[in-house]
Amino acid sequence: MKLQEYTISKHNFEECMKCTVCTAYCPVLQVNPMYPGPKQAGPDGERLRLKDPYFFNYALKYCMNCKRCEVACPSDVNVADLIQAARIRYDRSKPKLRDRILASTDFMGTLARPFAPVVNGVTRLGVTKSVMDATLKIDHRRSFPKYSSRSFESWLRRHAKEQAAFPEQVAYFHGCYVNYNNPGLGRDLVKVLNALGVGVQLLEKEKCCGIALITNGMSDKATRHATHNIDAIRKAVTDRGLTVVTTSSSCTLTIREEYPNLLGVDNADVRDSVLMATRYIFERLEKGATLRFRTDYHKKIAYHTPCHMERMGWGVFSEKLMRMIPGVEFIQLDSACCGIAGTYGFKKENYEASQAIGAPLFEQIRAVNPDIVACDCETCKWQIEMSTGYTVENPISILADAIES
Amino acid sequence: MKFDTIIIGGGLAGLVSGISLQKAGQDVAIISTGQNALHFFSGSFESVEEPPQRMADLFSEAGIRLQYRPGVRLMPLGTFRPATLSLDDINLFPTPRFAKKAMIVNFTGYHDFFTDFLAEGLEKQGIPCRVQLLQLPELDVIRQSPSEMRSVQIARTMDRIWEKVVQEIRVRLDDEDTVILPQVFGLQDLSVPGRIRQGIPAQIVFVGTLPPSVPGIRTQMLLKRRYEILGGTYLMGDEALKAHIHDGVVHSIVTRNLDSHYLEADNFILATGGFFSKGLKSNPFRIYEPVFGLDVTFAEDRNTWYSPDFSADQPYMDYGVKTDASLHALQDGKPLKNLYVIGSILGGTHPEFGTAAGLAVRSAFAAVDQILS
């Protein structure tokens, strides 16, 4: 009925019963009084915005899009989607140069890769950090991710033939981080999947998932990336009959949830075929495949479930895989945000809030004193390593290290 | 994925059964659609008739101290309700005449604590009282956003500045023998309520605020942590959608987040709560249980579901899932052999009487005992 189309809003906002539970779990609200909080910014504000866009509040930019409000909501309201959708729809401010730079992870990667040793050296210098702080408002206390001189894509292309020889195949959406910063994680995935008799292929061509473009006010560009990526994924899934695996929780959430819910890019035919590698591996093991673990592997591992992994509800696969490794003492860290939220924590105006949000997590990690912190998100890794000094590894890298080569 | 027992619902009933089973050596998963009714928990249990040692032990192992002292507790609107057992920072009194003279303390800008109602209620009992507002500059940051000045926000600050509150109250204290404070203490630092009691030479009474409940969130946090330390799996923010049932036995359930990845178990516990938590749903024709499609008690005539008098006893609060005598769920009149129903979804709970917490714990223990026997 037509009437319903007009009266029922998106993102389930009419289900909100004003219970305030989300406000108790918003990490930003705890440290930044400028932020109106998920209830005000989400369903409460939406009622007003629907009447008149005048009520759009620019303080919505303080939302980190961590989705903790959605995980906490007992009524299934997509609070963070409401906030991000409002920013896309009503925010008319132009992204700053700084935000453009931070959001262009693939472009910056392409630019930096050929000069990786130089770039890595320069971004570590105090003077560079001071200049970036003064001119771009990128906080000088932040460490920058290092760039790798060889991309993961070029490595995998050189091994395409041996990969094609495996009886079963998957496609891998590696994301910018694996391609430009940490090809080692991609090679670890290849090692684990090969041990299960599965070869790894690239997508025809992948672009940055676009998560940083969405949060930095460049949703047009994000939509172009989304359309491109879904086409590429569709070719792999429908033409080549492959499952697409991933190692980054935020890329995965973006492709599966943000594309249709925020950007309006339909992924219904391929969504179920895009899986975190941890889930794919767990399911293969459950169906009878086996991994041979080293007997001399002994590690105390504390697992931090990234916010976006919590939203997808798939942390359990990473947990179960790590618990399978003999010699692992596994500790589940309390559910908490590390404070980085992608590009959010890099911005000068957010630095203090970012570190304050992560403080309880950092304290718990120090108290647990593990050999490794495990985490499926690259920006959490940067934040936790910078703030605690502990080494953070993706569960896939931990598996790769623990199996016999 | 396969577990020994899967519990649907992560509130008080779900956590108590999860902890008990996990402690007995089972591998348990709890599925929780968002946060639960513990966020509205008063901190006391009204329907526990005998000193519940088993419950006290379970809570104390999670770091939560309970006190058994049958009597009454002071409600946020100045009325009194019977209670037998409570968290140790919630006062239970032998009679409503619990003070000679009281000072009610609130913080400037905090609107979720009703001092005038409290004062009126106490004066009805013959307890004279006055209201004092503390203007703490440490709360200025939160006050910038008046609509967000809620219990949990204040409690986070209070964990740091409670000593200042003690000083401010001591200065103001005249000949009152009792000080009444909102429940905004001890969210993370559990020692704060006790320290406030030690620091002020008067009886200190903490009274409930509008949600979220600080003692409730603390209870939820500690029980969940205990459950996870015991190795339990807690799937927060996921929703059980439907079940696969053959010959009266539940084999697996489908969840929103895990879609095609079914969760299997030997036993299942349904602890999804009442209407508020969507354990029960209604439409104009019927009241139903959405996951398994279990039998539900309710009157045929929709007009008798509720009383038009808002504050009257509401018949729909008695509606619940039908079970046999050992809490097995009934489907089309027949018991499902490995599905137990516990907590508010059983019906008969009345939030205004606070019967839900006691029922949650007792039915959880009853189900656990059968699963382990």
Side-chain angles (χ1 to χ4, degrees):
Chain A
M1 194 168 91
K2 256 215 165 129
L3 182 66
Q4 279 205 333
E5 283 170 31
Y6 292 114
T7 52
I8 292 185
S9 66
K10 281 184 176 174
H11 312 298
N12 242 1
F13 107 88
E14 74 279 13
E15 290 289 322
C16 174
M17 60 171 100
K18 315 297 170 202
C19 74
T20 71
V21 161
C22 56
T23 66
Y25 292 89
C26 173
V28 182
L29 196 54
Q30 293 173 32
V31 297
N32 183 359
M34 303 292 290
Y35 179 55
K39 179 169 168 282
Q40 283 282 323
D44 288 8
E46 186 69 6
R47 281 191 307 184
L48 301 173
R49 294 189 289 263
L50 284 174
K51 278 189 185 137
D52 189 339
Y54 164 81
F55 290 106
F56 174 73
N57 183 346
Y58 280 84
L60 263 56
K61 72 175 178 197
Y62 292 115
C63 168
M64 301 194 292
N65 199 25
C66 69
K67 312 264 186 204
R68 288 192 168 266
C69 44
E70 297 184 356
V71 175
C73 178
S75 308
D76 198 18
V77 178
N78 294 324
V79 187
D81 284 0
L82 275 166
I83 297 169
Q84 294 306 320
R87 291 189 58 206
I88 290 172
R89 187 156 179 200
Y90 302 114
D91 191 341
R92 292 284 158 257
S93 59
K94 284 217 169 109
K96 296 176 195 153
L97 174 64
R98 187 256 332 250
D99 298 352
R100 286 179 184 281
I101 291 173
L102 286 175
S104 304
T105 49
D106 49 356
F107 179 68
M108 294 309 287
T110 316
L111 219 58
R113 193 172 44 75
F115 318 103
V118 181
V119 173
N120 293 338
V122 170
T123 53
R124 244 180 304 169
L125 292 176
V127 58
T128 316
K129 291 186 176 185
S130 306
V131 170
M132 288 203 295
D133 190 303
T135 56
L136 291 172
K137 305 276 181 272
I138 293 174
D139 199 278
H140 65 277
R141 287 160 288 189
R142 201 46 81 189
S143 319
F144 265 80
K146 290 200 185 97
Y147 286 101
S148 168
S149 32
R150 191 180 289 156
S151 74
F152 173 74
E153 284 189 354
S154 67
W155 178 85
L156 191 62
R157 274 201 200 97
R158 281 191 290 116
H159 293 81
K161 247 190 201 153
E162 47 196 272
Q163 288 306 313
F166 283 93
E168 289 190 62
Q169 298 284 313
V170 292
Y172 177 32
F173 185 95
H174 48 70
C176 306
Y177 168 70
V178 164
N179 203 30
Y180 302 113
N181 304 108
N182 187 5
L185 170 56
R187 291 196 298 269
D188 287 340
L189 177 73
V190 171
K191 178 183 170 186
V192 177
L193 288 177
N194 287 174
L196 291 165
V198 179
V200 180
Q201 304 180 10
L202 293 168
L203 290 175
E204 193 177 86
K205 166 130 186 61
E206 71 168 67
K207 288 191 170 183
C208 165
C209 70
I211 185 167
L213 295 167
I214 299 172
T215 48
N216 283 290
M218 287 167 260
S219 55
D220 289 351
K221 196 171 174 198
T223 309
R224 289 199 295 276
H225 282 217
T227 313
H228 172 96
N229 283 336
I230 289 300
D231 278 349
I233 289 169
R234 197 168 279 138
K235 278 179 194 156
V237 173
T238 45
D239 300 355
R240 291 189 269 162
L242 301 177
T243 297
V244 178
V245 297
T246 56
T247 44
S248 160
S249 45
S250 289
C251 297
T252 316
L253 178 99
T254 306
I255 294 169
R256 287 175 53 104
E257 313 296 338
E258 310 286 65
Y259 283 4
N261 298 338
L262 292 180
L263 302 177
V265 174
D266 184 19
N267 66 0
D269 55 333
V270 294
R271 180 177 175 274
D272 290 350
S273 302
V274 180
L275 297 179
M276 288 294 290
T278 43
R279 175 170 171 173
Y280 177 80
I281 293 165
F282 181 89
E283 288 179 349
R284 286 198 72 94
L285 294 173
E286 209 174 36
K287 281 184 197 129
T290 49
L291 282 173
R292 283 162 46 124
F293 291 105
R294 280 162 48 191
T295 49
D296 58 343
Y297 188 89
H298 297 284
K299 292 255 162 72
K300 181 172 174 181
I301 297 176
Y303 179 49
H304 164 65
T305 316
C307 298
H308 288 165
M309 196 69 158
E310 282 212 34
R311 180 65 180 103
M312 287 191 291
W314 291 1
V316 63
F317 296 112
S318 299
E319 179 197 329
K320 294 277 172 196
L321 282 180
M322 286 184 281
R323 280 186 193 272
M324 265 178 212
I325 304 170
V328 162
E329 183 192 344
F330 181 88
I331 292 136
Q332 174 70 50
L333 294 167
D334 285 348
S335 168
C337 175
C338 75
I340 187 81
T343 59
Y344 188 91
F346 281 89
K347 299 174 185 175
K348 191 176 169 63
E349 68 271 24
N350 295 335
Y351 181 83
E352 308 281 346
S354 170
Q355 295 311 104
I357 288 167
L361 174 69
F362 308 149
E363 245 171 70
Q364 197 192 8
I365 290 172
R366 286 189 203 101
V368 167
N369 190 25
D371 298 316
I372 313 177
V373 176
C375 179
D376 325 74
C377 167
E378 52 275 9
T379 60
C380 297
K381 172 183 159 81
W382 302 333
Q383 169 78 335
I384 295 169
E385 288 188 337
M386 186 195 92
S387 309
T388 67
Y390 285 87
T391 305
V392 182
E393 294 288 0
N394 189 294
I396 294 296
S397 293
I398 290 172
L399 270 186
D401 188 24
I403 58 174
E404 286 182 354
S405 22
Chain B
M1 206 174 286
K2 171 110 204 293
F3 296 90
D4 294 326
T5 300
I6 289 174
I7 301 164
I8 308 168
L12 185 59
L15 279 166
V16 164
S17 40
I19 289 170
S20 307
L21 291 168
Q22 197 71 45
K23 204 184 162 195
Q26 284 215 335
D27 186 18
V28 181
I30 291 179
I31 299 157
S32 184
T33 315
Q35 293 288 359
N36 50 68
L38 275 169
H39 290 66
F40 315 96
F41 183 38
S42 68
S44 51
F45 304 81
E46 273 91 350
S47 62
V48 178
E49 287 90 4
E50 55 201 280
Q53 197 52 47
R54 182 177 182 184
M55 191 168 151
D57 289 347
L58 183 143
F59 274 67
S60 113
E61 281 164 13
I64 305 163
R65 280 206 305 240
L66 297 178
Q67 52 168 346
Y68 178 72
R69 192 178 292 167
V72 294
R73 72 187 166 94
L74 176 57
M75 304 288 287
L77 297 183
T79 55
F80 292 85
R81 289 276 156 74
T84 52
L85 183 76
S86 71
L87 303 178
D88 73 340
D89 57 329
I90 314 288
N91 306 56
L92 299 180
F93 310 111
T95 69
R97 275 302 291 267
F98 67 94
K100 289 199 182 72
K101 196 172 175 186
M103 181 165 97
I104 303 172
V105 177
N106 193 12
F107 308 105
T108 311
Y110 182 44
H111 301 303
D112 291 352
F113 185 58
F114 305 110
T115 50
D116 290 350
F117 285 119
L118 272 172
E120 201 183 309
L122 294 191
E123 270 151 21
K124 263 186 204 154
Q125 301 296 331
I127 304 171
C129 47
R130 65 186 171 116
V131 176
Q132 288 285 295
L133 273 182
L134 303 189
Q135 170 80 40
L136 299 169
E138 288 84 354
L139 292 175
D140 283 351
V141 178
I142 311 176
R143 259 190 291 271
Q144 286 178 36
S145 183
S147 65
E148 294 307 307
M149 193 164 175
R150 278 188 246 276
S151 57
V152 176
Q153 295 298 97
I154 298 175
R156 289 205 173 93
T157 309
M158 288 301 164
D159 274 352
R160 293 196 316 271
I161 65 155
W162 61 272
E163 275 178 302
K164 179 140 190 216
V165 175
V166 167
Q167 283 166 17
E168 293 279 335
I169 291 173
R170 285 181 69 116
V171 171
R172 285 171 169 78
L173 200 61
D174 194 4
D175 58 341
E176 290 90 355
D177 66 338
T178 297
V179 174
I180 295 173
L181 283 163
Q183 273 174 358
V184 292
F185 299 95
L187 180 67
Q188 304 276 353
D189 184 347
L190 306 188
S191 69
V192 171
R195 290 185 191 203
I196 290 176
R197 285 203 168 120
Q198 278 167 14
I200 300 172
Q203 169 178 236
I204 305 295
V205 181
F206 298 105
V207 173
T209 65
L210 279 189
S213 153
V214 169
I217 291 185
R218 182 210 305 152
T219 305
Q220 138 81 23
M221 221 158 50
L222 291 170
L223 290 176
K224 177 168 178 268
R225 184 176 297 161
R226 170 74 179 147
Y227 169 74
E228 286 181 336
I229 285 172
L230 288 167
T233 299
Y234 196 107
L235 301 173
M236 175 61 88
D238 202 355
E239 183 181 359
L241 298 176
K242 62 172 186 177
H244 298 124
I245 304 171
H246 302 291
D247 298 332
V249 175
V250 182
H251 288 275
S252 61
I253 54 163
V254 182
T255 76
R256 188 186 54 206
N257 286 341
L258 301 180
D259 47 76
S260 60
H261 192 104
Y262 304 152
L263 296 178
E264 298 167 43
D266 297 330
N267 287 289
F268 292 81
I269 295 178
L270 185 66
T272 41
F275 295 98
F276 183 87
S277 312
K278 298 188 176 165
L280 292 173
K281 287 187 172 180
S282 68
N283 61 27
F285 314 103
R286 62 191 185 107
I287 289 169
Y288 62 100
E289 184 285 308
V291 184
F292 297 90
L294 302 175
D295 299 349
V296 177
T297 47
F298 64 93
E300 283 290 312
D301 179 5
R302 187 177 186 275
N303 294 316
T304 63
W305 290 0
Y306 56 92
S307 161
D309 175 2
F310 181 77
S311 56
D313 203 11
Q314 294 292 341
Y316 68 82
M317 294 307 295
D318 284 322
Y319 299 161
V321 165
K322 289 184 195 168
T323 69
D324 67 9
S326 42
L327 297 177
H328 291 109
L330 297 188
Q331 194 188 43
D332 302 325
K334 287 190 201 113
L336 295 173
K337 289 169 204 148
N338 63 342
L339 175 63
Y340 299 86
V341 185
I342 63 173
S344 299
I345 192 175
L346 287 168
T349 62
H350 294 256
E352 66 273 31
F353 302 137
T355 46
L359 175 71
V361 176
R362 284 187 300 167
S363 56
F365 283 145
V368 164
D369 289 345
Q370 293 187 67
I371 289 173
L372 293 178
S373 68

